Amino acid sequence: LKKMGLKVYEPKARGGHVAFLHEYGFGFSKALIEAGFICDYRSPNLIRLCLNPLYISMDEIESCIKEMQFIEKNALYLKPE
């Protein structure tokens, strides 16, 4: 995750979400949404993903991780609006 510029956000009471901090959180979350993934952005740089095993498969999780790597590698978070 560090190689992708992501840091896991670990508050004491997080609920069912996995949250990441990224320097360009808004742009990163926008790139994920454009790729078809549902995420939640919280200012100033927090990206939240829900990994509920009732409706998210391991294949979907792996696909999301690959997309996150692609976004970082190609700096798609810097794409102008």
Side-chain angles (χ1 to χ4, degrees), residues 21-69:
L21 299 168
H22 189 275
E23 182 179 5
Y24 297 96
F26 179 74
F28 203 101
S29 65
K30 188 173 177 186
L32 273 172
I33 291 167
E34 288 176 3
F37 295 93
I38 298 171
C39 66
D40 180 31
Y41 168 75
R42 300 287 171 102
S43 185
N45 58 0
L46 185 71
I47 305 158
R48 296 186 332 150
L49 298 166
C50 181
L51 301 178
N52 187 323
L54 293 174
Y55 54 87
I56 303 289
S57 71
M58 283 303 294
D59 289 339
E60 291 170 313
I61 293 170
E62 289 173 5
S63 177
C64 184
I65 292 169
K66 287 178 184 175
E67 186 63 34
M68 291 170 77
Q69 291 169 331

Side-chain angles (χ1 to χ4, degrees), residues 1 6-11 14 18-21:
L1 293 171
L6 294 166
K7 178 183 177 191
V8 176
Y9 181 67
E10 300 182 46
R14 181 176 60 197
V18 175
F20 301 99
L21 299 168

